[in-house]
Amino acid sequence: MVDFATFQAVVELNAAYAAALDAQQWDAWPEFFLDECVYRIQPRENFDMGLPLATLSFESKGMLRDRIYGIRDTLFHDPYYQRHVIGLPSIRAQDANTLHVEANYAVFRTKPDQLTDILSVGRYLDIVKRTDDGWKFASRQCIFDSEMIPNSLIYPI
């Protein structure tokens, strides 16, 4: 059983993560992660079968920063807003400085001239580590439920 302060810290980490992405504060996104980290967006079918193919896969904070550079300076796309809804986390395993956490998510997309649609629904599988700067993601796997995805994923999930 995890203590309330630790549980609350994970809830606040997810809330801050969602708020930064929803506000398009792209420079804040990599700061939720350790320097050596994993961020992966993967279909449920591949995850369940143990297949490594992922839609996006990054292996360091530097790669996350490179993605932000791409979002800002090289990718051309119709602008849209995201809104994250993250369920309460379930802490599956823990030791003094590491938590294994699962939480459901839904991400909605709104283009300025269209109705809101569902961009992605699934679950986060996280490894969260205690640091001097608070809890950070060592790994965040976004396992999306549908085999269908939009023709491009621009922003982080």
Side-chain angles (χ1 to χ4, degrees):
M1 184 105 175
V2 67
D3 63 90
F4 180 77
T6 301
F7 179 80
Q8 185 63 28
V10 173
V11 169
E12 290 176 10
L13 177 64
N14 276 331
Y17 177 94
L21 293 181
D22 292 348
Q24 298 184 348
Q25 295 173 342
W26 305 126
D27 291 328
W29 179 57
E31 301 311 313
F32 290 98
F33 293 84
L34 299 175
D35 289 340
E36 297 299 318
C37 63
V38 171
Y39 176 81
R40 183 172 293 125
I41 300 175
Q42 185 176 31
R44 180 180 189 164
E45 179 182 33
N46 286 8
F47 179 81
D48 289 347
M49 294 174 59
L51 300 173
L53 184 63
T55 306
L56 290 174
S57 184
F58 306 117
E59 297 178 359
S60 70
K61 189 186 280 190
M63 290 179 81
L64 300 180
R65 288 184 180 128
D66 187 59
R67 181 64 179 184
I68 296 309
Y69 171 76
I71 290 169
R72 251 197 207 119
D73 297 325
T74 65
L75 298 176
F76 296 96
H77 61 89
D78 288 339
Y80 65 90
Y81 305 104
Q82 290 188 146
R83 183 69 53 204
H84 289 71
V85 178
I86 302 174
L88 287 174
S90 176
I91 298 174
R92 302 292 189 197
Q94 68 177 14
D95 66 27
N97 296 310
T98 305
L99 304 171
H100 293 259
V101 181
E102 182 174 337
N104 293 329
Y105 75 82
V107 180
F108 300 90
R109 175 178 61 183
T110 305
K111 293 184 178 184
D113 61 343
Q114 297 178 16
L115 293 173
T116 298
D117 62 354
I118 298 170
L119 178 68
S120 182
V121 174
R123 63 187 172 165
Y124 293 129
L125 299 177
D126 301 325
I127 299 173
V128 183
K129 299 249 183 201
R130 186 189 313 265
T131 72
D132 292 339
D133 296 323
W135 293 93
K136 303 272 185 179
F137 295 110
S139 174
R140 170 154 269 192
Q141 293 187 83
C142 310
I143 310 300
F144 59 90
D145 289 337
S146 175
E147 294 177 21
M148 302 296 292
I149 59 170
N151 60 2
S152 62
L153 286 174
I154 307 297
Y155 304 144
I157 297 293

